[in-house]
Amino acid sequence: MRNALGSVDTVLLLGGRSEIGLAIVERLVRRGARRVVLAARGGTAPADGLERLGAEVHVLDFDAARPETHAALIEEAAAKVGDLDVVIPAFGVLGRQAVYDADPVAAARDVAVNFGGHVSVGLAAARRLREQGHGTLVVLSSVAGVRVRKANFVYGSAKAGLDGFAQGLADALHGSGARVVVVRPGFVIGRMTRGMTPAPMSVTAAEVADAVVAALDTRKGTVWVPARLRLAFAVMRLLPRPIWRRLPR
Amino acid sequence: MTLLTGWGRTAPTRATVARPRTAEEAAELVAKAGRRGVVARGLGRAYGDAAQNAGGLVLDCTALERSWRVDSTGLVTASAGISLHDLMTALVPRGWFVPVTPGTRYVTVGGAVAADVHGKNHHVDSSFGAHLRSLRLLTADGAVRTLGPGDDLFWATVGGMGLTGVIVEATFRCVPIETAWMRVDVERTRDLDHTLETMAATDDGHRYTVAWIDLLARGRRMGRGVLTRGDHAAPGDLPARARGNPLAFAPRPLLSAPPWAPGGLLNRATVRAFNAAWYGKAPAAPRRVVQGIAPFFHPLDGVSGWNRLYGPRGFVQYQFVVPLGAEDTLRRVVERLSGAGVVSFLTVLKRFGAGTPGMLSFPMQGWTLALDIPAGQSGLAAMLTEFDGWVAAAGGRLYLAKDSRMSADTMAATYPRLERWRQIRRRADPDGVFVSDLARRLRLC
């Protein structure tokens, strides 16, 4: 159970090797979480660090591309650790637009993970949180989905879909005791973006994690990382298409 | 389905609330509770999550039977849903006073048993459970059992936070009074040592004692406070206007906190101003005053919904006890709080006498300090967790009716009779029907 000062007991991370996901989990464990489930493809995820911090860690096999397994996975996690206080689907793939242009099937496959996988996991998690009458679903959206750019519009459109899904789900869960926190990071420097040139207002996984953990203490439903991206995108959303399309990246 | 919180208004969760009127109705509801279980709730004065049950059933027991009787010796039998306010309003004019009252009259008899509440007379009279003759408890099998101090389940229920069943009725002995007034000595103290010494040296001479501490005072004045010691007044003590009807008692709230109260009203500046005024008003040498029961025992009941003054983020209560001889731990906590400038609107210190055999009952011989702190203060979680460690190391513990944030590990380390309680509970409720957010958070069951 979440306590009065925002510390939680149990965490489920889907995409158990995600840099951002693990950074969030580590912070939650440092603040008192004692039972963690890492769900990752192949059933392998780095549990040692979390165990050293005093957490009991369970690792489950999870494939984001197989939505038919997702509801059972959520139940299996709850069977291991009890009520799920925080659920963090942090899986995703970031392919290059040029590759997608040449390989539409690969594009559809990645969208199925980045959007479809989050829909099935999100709905299954929401059902569990609604039943238990409390809990938080953290949805890792992106500014890439706030206004989709031609430079990565396959990835961006999946994130746009995910962002809309998360907002709708947040409203559907209103009053259920459960809630959704939508996280919109900018360019995150890390493994997923290795070799790419960081965009302005880039952040690290640690900074995203700090912002998410801070938001869990408040009643905030949306978190921009860094916070000033909110203002930046308020302007960018209004840019006329001819200008938007000419932006360098 | 309703979102519920405790009095501190933190960590809301959703539950189905039902309002049984009879023990039979309650038994039917318990039988149909489902896999998220059930817990009884009274007037919701526990500060944390004791009377919440996320995703499950919560029985609002304030309509349950609602009967009471008193015999010529002051033995009272009351339904669990009756409040101490209702009881006092009926009993005081008849010359009886409840054996123990917490800082509010707005708790139910069931809540008083489940939390084994204590009051300003703990050093001589112990807690509520010590005055109980018997209980009627609706257990998971649907039976209503009558329990007495010879039963294990009785002492698992006293202080058991509603996790052994639904308390339906309690029988306890009241104390005779001649007036509805208190004879009170008020005195201010210079610093923490002076507060502790004066209290320890003089509380045997009074039935009711408590010290209010000015936590914002630092340096030489750290731990200064106002000590009040009271006894039930005799007719001769009363002002002339009250002598005609010395047992008249009809208190009601004077003010109401608005539901829209913003956060931040109780900040360092306002609390400092209040503390200075409160301390300054108290006499340096003991002075005797005559006060009504309500202002002496329940000053906060004068403002209905005062918990809303903490704003939308709510507040936490931190109340611990450490054994006599562990005054250093108490001093460290006060030093740290005062150094950090933590805003606690009401900080109360009290010396406890002997505890009850209640396995999860809080009071034990020693010193108890209670604070309430707005939930938004930065660094609060880490500081209180550090205090938990000090309290545990000193052999003390935290009060479950006030707790909303300790860890399951702290719980297990500080309640030595927890395992015994679990065994008895498992026998009475093998399927774990009775459960609450507090039970889940602290892994009690």
Side-chain angles (χ1 to χ4, degrees):
Chain A
M1 295 294 306
R2 180 181 188 276
N3 79 8
L5 298 177
S7 151
V8 297
D9 186 33
T10 64
V11 189
L12 166 61
L13 174 64
L14 300 110
R17 292 187 291 268
S18 148
E19 260 180 311
I20 294 178
L22 284 168
I24 299 171
V25 174
E26 186 201 312
R27 280 158 181 74
L28 294 177
V29 168
R30 284 186 194 280
R31 290 166 40 125
R34 282 295 163 266
R35 287 175 287 186
V36 173
V37 180
L38 303 178
R41 199 163 44 195
T44 55
D48 311 7
L50 298 171
E51 279 167 351
R52 268 197 301 277
L53 292 173
E56 162 196 321
V57 184
H58 303 267
V59 181
L60 300 180
D61 190 10
F62 163 70
D63 186 348
R66 294 179 56 211
E68 67 278 11
T69 62
H70 291 174
L73 182 102
I74 298 281
E75 284 315 309
E76 192 184 351
K80 294 263 188 240
V81 298
D83 283 8
L84 302 173
D85 296 341
V86 181
V87 179
I88 313 162
F91 54 84
V93 276
L94 175 57
R96 299 197 172 249
Q97 184 60 41
V99 176
Y100 291 146
D101 289 340
D103 186 354
V105 175
R109 203 163 48 223
D110 285 1
V111 169
V113 167
N114 287 349
F115 183 32
H118 280 264
V119 168
S120 54
V121 162
L123 289 173
R127 185 166 65 197
R128 169 73 204 187
L129 300 190
R130 187 191 287 279
E131 260 172 41
Q132 63 185 34
H134 72 102
T136 305
L137 176 68
V138 176
V139 175
L140 294 173
S141 175
S142 166
V143 295
V146 173
R147 186 167 186 185
V148 177
R149 292 172 292 127
K150 70 174 183 197
N152 69 351
F153 66 87
V154 169
Y155 179 79
S157 61
K159 285 294 187 187
L162 175 59
D163 199 281
F165 167 78
Q167 291 179 56
L169 185 60
D171 288 341
L173 285 174
H174 185 82
S176 70
R179 69 169 185 146
V180 177
V181 174
V182 184
V183 188
R184 292 180 185 146
F187 186 97
V188 181
I189 302 166
R191 206 170 55 218
M192 198 173 179
T193 57
R194 188 169 295 151
M196 298 165 68
T197 321
M201 295 194 240
S202 292
V203 286
T204 61
E207 287 168 308
V208 177
D210 285 338
V212 170
V213 171
L216 290 179
D217 281 353
T218 69
R219 296 178 184 196
K220 242 189 231 178
T222 311
V223 194
W224 298 77
V225 201
R228 58 186 190 278
L229 272 176
R230 179 182 185 175
L231 189 67
F233 267 82
V235 175
M236 284 199 257
R237 260 195 280 228
L238 299 175
L239 284 183
R241 282 286 282 284
I243 299 177
W244 182 250
R245 115 169 41 100
R246 285 186 180 82
L247 286 187
R249 47 182 294 152
Chain B
M1 296 287 261
T2 317
L3 276 181
L4 294 174
T5 68
W7 193 242
R9 304 174 78 218
T10 51
T13 60
R14 191 160 134 139
T16 305
V17 179
R19 203 154 183 265
R21 289 173 188 280
T22 62
E24 293 71 44
E25 275 180 35
E28 278 170 35
L29 288 161
V30 167
K32 289 188 300 195
R35 67 188 185 101
R36 298 291 297 179
V38 55
V39 75
R41 181 179 175 101
L43 286 165
R45 252 52 172 201
Y47 287 79
D49 45 10
Q52 292 170 231
N53 179 21
L57 180 64
V58 170
L59 298 185
D60 170 351
C61 289
T62 54
L64 194 58
E65 292 182 346
R66 295 201 61 82
S67 69
W68 65 274
R69 57 186 186 272
V70 58
D71 73 6
S72 59
T73 68
L75 198 66
V76 170
T77 298
S79 304
I82 290 194
S83 70
L84 295 193
H85 172 81
D86 294 339
L87 271 184
M88 281 184 217
T89 308
L91 290 172
V92 169
R94 291 173 164 81
W96 297 109
F97 195 64
V98 292
V100 168
T101 174
T104 170
R105 292 184 304 280
Y106 297 100
V107 297
T108 62
V109 168
V113 174
D116 195 9
V117 296
H118 58 270
K120 296 177 182 179
N121 55 342
H122 192 277
H123 63 295
V124 285
D125 291 331
S126 192
S127 51
F128 201 86
H131 305 269
L132 278 174
R133 282 299 188 78
S134 67
L135 284 178
R136 288 177 59 224
L137 182 72
L138 166 63
T139 44
D141 54 8
V144 176
R145 307 190 201 183
T146 301
L147 304 170
D151 299 308
D152 281 344
L153 189 55
F154 178 91
W155 292 114
T157 302
V158 172
M161 303 310 286
L163 296 167
T164 55
V166 179
I167 298 163
V168 173
E169 189 182 82
T171 299
F172 51 93
R173 183 161 303 285
C174 281
V175 294
I177 50 173
E178 294 177 283
T179 72
W181 297 81
M182 304 301 295
R183 193 174 61 224
V184 185
D185 289 340
V186 185
E187 175 185 4
R188 68 188 192 197
T189 56
R190 293 184 301 272
D191 54 30
L192 187 62
D193 285 338
H194 188 218
T195 309
L196 294 173
E197 276 160 28
T198 316
M199 200 167 203
T202 63
D203 63 4
D204 284 348
H206 300 271
R207 185 163 207 156
Y208 303 98
T209 65
V210 73
W212 166 85
I213 304 278
D214 176 4
L215 253 199
L216 289 175
R218 295 195 193 191
R220 267 188 310 117
R221 296 181 179 139
M222 190 197 77
R224 72 178 186 179
V226 177
L227 187 59
T228 50
R229 290 159 297 190
D231 292 279
H232 292 288
D237 299 323
L238 304 194
R241 65 187 160 83
R243 285 187 196 172
N245 189 2
L247 286 166
F249 182 71
R252 64 189 53 176
L254 304 170
L255 300 166
S256 177
W260 40 262
L265 282 180
L266 299 175
N267 55 44
R268 205 162 295 167
T270 57
V271 172
R272 192 182 294 280
F274 170 84
N275 286 7
W278 194 254
Y279 184 80
K281 189 171 91 87
R287 189 169 69 204
R288 175 155 297 185
V289 295
V290 174
Q291 256 184 336
I293 280 174
F296 178 74
F297 287 105
H298 316 117
L300 286 172
D301 286 348
V303 184
S304 70
W306 62 265
N307 58 336
R308 295 196 291 262
L309 294 175
Y310 285 89
R313 291 189 70 175
F315 67 106
V316 296
Q317 266 262 347
Y318 190 74
Q319 181 171 1
F320 65 91
V321 58
V322 289
L324 296 179
E327 288 77 8
D328 277 350
T329 304
L330 187 67
R331 192 168 294 113
R332 275 169 82 194
V333 170
V334 172
E335 263 170 24
R336 182 70 197 283
L337 287 164
S338 138
V342 165
V343 177
S344 166
F345 185 57
L346 272 186
T347 308
V348 169
L349 177 74
K350 160 90 200 146
R351 197 171 67 92
F352 274 159
T356 65
M359 285 151 236
L360 297 189
S361 180
F362 165 67
M364 61 194 274
Q365 195 136 48
W367 293 100
T368 184
L369 186 75
L371 322 148
D372 40 52
I373 312 171
Q377 293 193 41
S378 67
L380 185 60
M383 183 165 64
L384 295 182
T385 302
E386 194 178 359
F387 293 172
D388 291 351
W390 299 351
V391 168
R397 56 192 176 222
L398 306 189
Y399 189 12
L400 295 181
K402 301 237 174 130
D403 176 60
S404 56
R405 38 126 329 259
M406 81 163 133
S407 68
D409 296 343
T410 302
M411 175 74 207
T414 53
Y415 278 82
R417 290 174 289 188
L418 176 59
E419 225 12 80
R420 176 89 187 108
W421 178 85
R422 281 189 179 126
Q423 286 168 9
I424 295 162
R425 196 197 99 91
R426 251 195 307 272
R427 230 180 294 143
D429 181 10
D431 299 326
V433 172
F434 293 100
V435 65
S436 62
D437 287 0
L438 176 114
R440 289 192 181 95
R441 178 168 56 84
L442 298 178
R443 281 178 245 153
L444 297 180
C445 310

